[in-house]
């Protein structure tokens, strides 16, 4: 691939980018499911966000592991 085409797959693998944006109707039982679906992290203004999945209360649920 030309022009850094490998950057997104690596970022998705590392949990720093999503494979797909959250969509209307998304509901995950927890962050493991959201990560497995490729929609994590989920921001507070996006479908599927719940405060119970936002451990540090910063408006971003299912952040990458630190």
């Amino acid at each position: 691939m030309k022009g850094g085409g490998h950057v997104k797959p690596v970022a998705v693998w590392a949990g720093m980018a999503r494979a797909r944006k959250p969509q209307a109707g998304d509901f995950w039982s927890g962050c493991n499911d959201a990560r497995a679906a490729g929609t994590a992290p989920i921001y507070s203004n996006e479908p599927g966000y719940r405060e119970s999945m936002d451990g540090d209360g910063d408006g971003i649920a299912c952040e990458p592991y630190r």
Side-chain angles (χ1 to χ4, degrees), residues 11-56:
V12 169
W13 174 81
M16 299 175 71
R18 301 185 283 205
R20 75 170 183 87
K21 289 184 178 185
Q23 315 222 342
D26 279 355
F27 181 88
W28 312 111
S29 62
C31 288
N32 288 338
D33 289 341
R35 287 185 187 104
T39 61
I42 306 169
Y43 299 92
S44 62
N45 62 334
E46 296 179 324
Y49 173 87
R50 292 194 321 273
E51 286 182 11
S52 63
M53 293 169 57
D54 183 357
D56 58 7

